[in-house]
Amino acid sequence: MTSRLIDETLFDSADPPRLVGARCTGCGTVVFPRQDSCPRCPDGAMSAHALPMSGRLWSWTLQAFPPKPPYRPPIGGFEPYHVGYVDLGEVLVETRLAIPREQIRIGLPVRLTTVEAYHDEDGTEVLTFAFGPDPEGGR
């Protein structure tokens, strides 16, 4: 089975892929996803900035209903999943969580991974980013 990333602009070209945000050259603010202007100052240009692979779970909830478009349900239809904010030090990233409910807790060390988002019409598996438990415990 072939697969592809949901949006190449969210990642760098490394293997495994890393999330890429942007950093303001004026004030140092980091954002994700990338954007062309700084949300905090008018002085700097935004440049690509690779984000850390691991962080800590800052907050979470259950996505109990299908999101609005452009969401596409996976094969078999929508099933509730957990989402949260992960603190990567310089920025909070909103993300899917690939963590069993009984393991989810605020402050949990987590690491970047990918999960299936949906399948294209030709059967290609489309992957999105998520965070799962960090086997190294955030060391």
Side-chain angles (χ1 to χ4, degrees):
M1 175 188 307
T2 60
S3 64
R4 69 173 179 85
L5 296 171
I6 196 163
D7 182 345
E8 296 285 339
T9 66
L10 298 175
F11 304 90
D12 66 9
S13 59
D15 185 21
R18 289 180 61 170
L19 294 178
V20 175
R23 179 189 294 276
C24 176
T25 59
C27 69
T29 296
V30 175
V31 296
F32 179 82
R34 291 185 233 194
Q35 56 189 54
D36 294 331
S37 62
C38 181
R40 292 211 173 125
C41 81
D43 297 331
M46 301 300 281
S47 60
H49 178 69
L51 301 179
M53 296 285 288
S54 57
R56 294 199 177 265
L57 185 59
W58 187 78
S59 183
W60 65 276
T61 192
L62 177 68
Q63 178 69 42
F65 54 88
K68 295 177 184 174
Y71 171 78
R72 291 173 56 179
I75 294 173
F78 173 80
E79 290 190 25
Y81 55 89
H82 294 99
V83 295
Y85 285 100
V86 170
D87 184 347
L88 296 177
E90 299 175 304
V91 66
L92 291 175
V93 172
E94 184 178 1
T95 184
R96 286 187 65 166
L97 299 175
I99 306 168
R101 167 60 192 100
E102 60 275 3
Q103 292 180 22
I104 297 176
R105 63 176 169 76
I106 303 301
L108 179 72
V110 293
R111 186 163 189 80
L112 181 66
T113 189
T114 56
V115 295
E116 177 187 311
Y118 58 87
H119 284 83
D120 278 339
E121 294 75 23
D122 67 0
T124 300
E125 180 183 44
V126 179
L127 303 171
T128 191
F129 67 92
F131 281 79
D134 187 343
E136 296 182 19
R139 287 181 244 152

